[in-house]
Amino acid sequence: MYEKNAEFGNSIKALDKLNKLEISEPRLGKVHEYNARLKQLMEEVEHTYELLYSLDKNLCNCGDAS
């Protein structure tokens, strides 16, 4: 039990140390860029799906889901 508590305590200390680290500005900027690109791609996929669905209503078998 003592070993488990010590291991748990070490894990908490490691997580606390990581939590206190500040993300450097260039890395944060990259994350924002990736998030913006991901959002753009998701919107593009949604738009393309809507276009395809409008051309072929059989693409979604929503009525068969019951």
Side-chain angles (χ1 to χ4, degrees):
M1 182 72 160
Y2 173 77
E3 293 169 354
K4 286 284 188 184
N5 284 340
E7 184 179 326
F8 186 61
N10 289 337
S11 295
I12 289 174
K13 288 178 186 176
L15 289 172
D16 188 48
K17 186 177 177 181
L18 288 173
N19 191 36
K20 290 178 181 176
L21 290 176
E22 292 188 24
I23 297 176
S24 66
E25 194 62 37
R27 290 176 61 197
L28 184 58
K30 277 289 190 194
V31 170
H32 286 301
E33 287 176 30
Y34 290 141
N35 284 343
R37 179 73 177 134
L38 179 59
K39 182 179 178 183
Q40 179 185 9
L41 289 171
M42 289 173 63
E43 289 171 355
E44 186 178 327
V45 166
E46 186 176 328
H47 174 72
T48 303
Y49 176 80
E50 289 171 0
L51 175 66
L52 290 172
Y53 180 72
S54 70
L55 296 173
D56 184 2
K57 301 291 184 190
N58 294 325
L59 190 62
C60 174
N61 294 324
C62 300
D64 297 339
S66 1

